[in-house]
Amino acid sequence: MRLRVCALVLAGLCLGAAGQAPGIRPREVEYTADGRERVDLELVLAVDVSSSIDEGEARRQREGHVAALADPEVIAAIQSGGYGRIAVMYLEWADADFQRVVAPWTVIETEADARAFAAALAVAPFVSGRRTAIGAAIDNSVSLIENNAYEGVRRVVDLSGDGPQNAGPSLSAARTRAVDDMVTVNGLPIDNASQHPFRPSVSIDVAAYFEREVIAGPGAFISPTNEHHDFVDALKRKLIIEIANLDPLRFARNG
């Protein structure tokens, strides 16, 4: 369903929640007994930079995440949560031993927070990997969630990519670990029709592969894109569903 439907639902959520108005004052930070900051969502943005993704495409993915996170509808979704904040980090991945944190764990509560996160992405150099080790990306993302300083009501790995696994540890085992650790793996499959002739081609239905082999956990879903140019819209839709904890069956293609 189109993004504007999500926007209408979010508008209703924000108008119906006490005190959730534009310019809302930050809420008092709450902590667990062991000192972990409570948030509504712990979110790893796990982004494919294997050889099928060139530097321009990788930078568009970064810029897409920046634009989506700072979007007023996404900020409204964040502020409509019980704690009014999420913890997010940006991971670029390729080979099993290529797992690179580009922007570390950051709490986003306001547009200013989102822009600070964007600044960290903007200055980071681009480094490309070769193979596509989705299992390693999921496994590493789960570890990053387990070892951070936050306690989220929900925990999500938001994994984007434009091809199937072709290297690294078992994808099935990584998905099982995610489910056992109560981490949901959602997918943003990029079906890129205009692939570079000197990079490995992808001849499968990437969306179907992500539905069947990648996503995992309660409510897991995909938000497919046709090509890299509509990445921002798909990502924004996906983030709103994740952050506001909407029903993916109504707003996205479900796995």
Side-chain angles (χ1 to χ4, degrees):
M1 190 171 293
R2 297 181 67 85
L3 181 59
R4 63 172 177 267
V5 178
C6 293
L8 290 172
V9 172
L10 273 179
L13 287 173
C14 294
L15 288 173
Q20 299 301 317
I24 182 174
R25 297 178 65 181
R27 306 181 200 178
E28 182 179 354
V29 179
E30 298 182 30
Y31 296 92
T32 63
D34 61 352
R36 298 162 74 88
E37 182 175 343
R38 294 189 183 278
V39 294
D40 293 300
L41 176 67
E42 297 170 65
L43 178 63
V44 175
L45 302 171
V47 178
D48 180 3
V49 291
S50 60
S51 58
S52 61
I53 306 280
D54 66 23
E55 181 171 359
E57 291 163 348
R59 291 201 177 279
R60 281 195 293 275
Q61 289 192 73
R62 286 192 193 179
E63 291 164 1
H65 281 89
V66 167
L69 284 167
D71 186 276
E73 291 174 5
V74 174
I75 298 298
I78 292 171
Q79 294 177 340
S80 72
Y83 296 108
R85 55 174 59 85
I86 67 171
V88 59
M89 70 163 303
Y90 194 95
L91 173 76
E92 290 182 340
W93 59 272
D95 307 81
D97 58 354
F98 187 106
Q99 306 287 317
R100 179 170 172 259
V101 174
V102 177
W105 285 108
T106 302
V107 172
I108 295 181
E109 183 177 14
T110 66
E111 184 178 349
D113 297 330
R115 294 193 179 283
F117 186 77
L121 290 180
V123 299
F126 172 73
V127 182
S128 178
R130 294 186 60 192
R131 311 287 285 178
T132 305
I134 301 175
I138 292 175
D139 197 54
N140 189 44
S141 296
V142 172
S143 294
L144 288 165
I145 289 173
E146 292 287 352
N147 296 317
N148 67 20
Y150 305 96
E151 182 70 24
V153 177
R154 290 171 292 114
R155 309 199 291 181
V156 173
V157 175
D158 196 340
L159 190 140
S160 64
D162 69 349
Q165 165 141 320
N166 56 29
S170 167
L171 175 52
S172 176
R175 295 171 73 216
T176 298
R177 180 193 172 191
V179 172
D180 289 346
D181 288 358
M182 301 181 67
V183 175
T184 295
V185 179
N186 292 330
L188 188 67
I190 304 169
D191 191 3
N192 189 12
S194 56
Q195 296 196 20
H196 194 286
F198 298 109
R199 296 202 308 274
S201 63
V202 176
S203 58
I204 68 166
D205 183 332
V206 180
Y209 177 83
F210 267 56
E211 279 190 318
R212 186 179 64 252
E213 304 290 345
V214 177
I215 64 174
F221 69 96
I222 65 169
S223 183
T225 68
N226 293 323
E227 290 188 13
H228 285 274
H229 69 268
D230 69 348
F231 183 85
V232 176
D233 285 344
L235 177 61
K236 180 180 172 183
R237 178 175 62 247
K238 190 164 182 287
L239 286 173
I240 288 175
I241 293 170
E242 290 167 339
I243 292 167
N245 199 22
L246 301 177
D247 181 1
L249 281 171
R250 295 183 60 194
F251 301 109
R253 185 174 171 186
N254 183 267

